[in-house]
Amino acid sequence: MNKLIAVDVDGTLLNDDHQILSNTKDSIIRAMQAGHKVVIVSGRPTEAILPIAKELSFEKYGGLISSYNGGVITNFKTGEKVTNHTLNIDLAKEILEKTKNFDVFPLITNEYTMLSNKENAFLTVETQILGLKPLIIEDLSHAIDFNPHKIIFVNYPQKIDELIPFLEENFSDRTSQVRSLRSFYEIMPKNLSKGNSLIEIANHYGINQKDIIAFGDAQNDISMFEMAATPIAMANADDIIKEMASYITLSNNENGIGYYLDKFIL
């Protein structure tokens, strides 16, 4: 029976140098050649996943990209957006306005540009890793003129700790929220998650939920692990992810994905 193999990107598919190991790439391509469906499921914007999908030969074997934590599902070969969920612009402006007094930096991606309200190290690092152009707009809450896929608030963990209760109290009824990293808190459209997008993708391919395998490492992979019949944690994963996993493979620096595929699927 063909499987739906979902792979997270950062900390999972990519090693710590932000590269795909050659043996990992080889195993994924052989899985597609064997008839299994591979999908990239990431918090990254779509534009930052396209080069990764190309490296995995999605143009030859097909494959879907679930970006923005499930906000957009894209057919890599055709460029068609199978689904596209965004925050309402008025809601986004309200969130940005009401969080101005917190010591955090909002990050919002618009195609190949990442916006923030002031210069900060997180913006610099993220745009370098993702291949995006940074853009500073001081009064972001009034200047934004599009429906964003999500808002990421970044700063040191203790600053994020101070922000979370406010966001949960004021916006949890209208948004989905996830702490993807200790320094990253993400605000997304309501009922949006990697896990829900995984079910949408399984239905798209006509694959039963019992045949879904998901690889992940961080807290924004929790929903994906809840939906997958076989959740696989990387050795470098957060403890909560390891506790949910049916198997803990090698780390992202040790061909963890390829090791599991070779041992149990191929």
Side-chain angles (χ1 to χ4, degrees), residues 6-9 39-43 66-67 70 194 197-198 201 221 224:
V7 295
D8 170 54
V9 174
V39 57
I40 299 172
V41 185
S42 174
S66 174
S67 53
K194 285 187 173 185
S197 78
L198 200 52
I201 292 167
D221 296 319
M224 191 164 64

Side-chain angles (χ1 to χ4, degrees), residues 144-164:
I144 187 172
D145 60 356
F146 61 93
N147 295 323
H149 288 97
K150 65 178 180 178
I151 300 171
I152 308 174
F153 289 101
V154 298
N155 208 337
Y156 296 111
Q158 63 270 26
K159 299 298 183 181
I160 299 298
D161 292 340
E162 296 168 3
L163 173 69
I164 290 175

Side-chain angles (χ1 to χ4, degrees), residues 87-241:
L87 287 168
N88 175 271
I89 187 171
D90 292 330
L91 175 58
K93 287 183 174 183
E94 181 184 351
I95 294 170
L96 291 168
E97 179 66 29
K98 290 184 176 180
T99 54
K100 278 184 175 181
N101 293 329
F102 287 89
D103 187 13
V104 294
F105 308 105
L107 303 180
I108 300 176
T109 300
N110 186 20
E111 295 184 336
Y112 287 95
T113 303
M114 180 170 281
L115 293 70
S116 191
N117 60 350
K118 61 183 68 175
E119 294 282 354
N120 61 86
F122 296 94
L123 175 67
T124 301
V125 171
E126 283 297 292
T127 52
Q128 289 176 347
I129 292 174
L130 301 179
L132 303 178
K133 178 183 177 181
L135 178 61
I136 304 300
I137 301 178
E138 185 173 345
D139 194 2
L140 191 56
S141 62
H142 289 88
I144 187 172
D145 60 356
F146 61 93
N147 295 323
H149 288 97
K150 65 178 180 178
I151 300 171
I152 308 174
F153 289 101
V154 298
N155 208 337
Y156 296 111
Q158 63 270 26
K159 299 298 183 181
I160 299 298
D161 292 340
E162 296 168 3
L163 173 69
I164 290 175
F166 177 83
L167 290 174
E168 290 180 336
E169 180 179 353
N170 290 276
F171 299 106
S172 60
D173 60 331
R174 291 179 284 168
T175 65
S176 291
Q177 306 180 19
V178 64
R179 189 171 194 162
S180 52
L181 296 171
R182 289 289 297 151
S183 297
F184 285 66
Y185 196 73
E186 308 193 17
I187 309 297
M188 304 166 294
K190 187 67 176 175
N191 299 321
L192 194 73
S193 70
K194 285 187 173 185
N196 287 342
S197 78
L198 200 52
I199 297 301
E200 289 181 297
I201 292 167
N203 292 336
H204 176 85
Y205 283 127
I207 294 177
N208 195 288
Q209 189 172 356
K210 67 181 178 63
D211 293 311
I212 299 177
I213 301 170
F215 293 88
D217 74 302
Q219 292 185 36
N220 64 338
D221 296 319
I222 289 175
S223 64
M224 191 164 64
F225 273 37
E226 291 172 337
M227 297 299 180
T230 309
I232 308 299
M234 310 302 288
N236 53 286
D238 292 349
D239 288 342
I240 189 172
I241 293 295

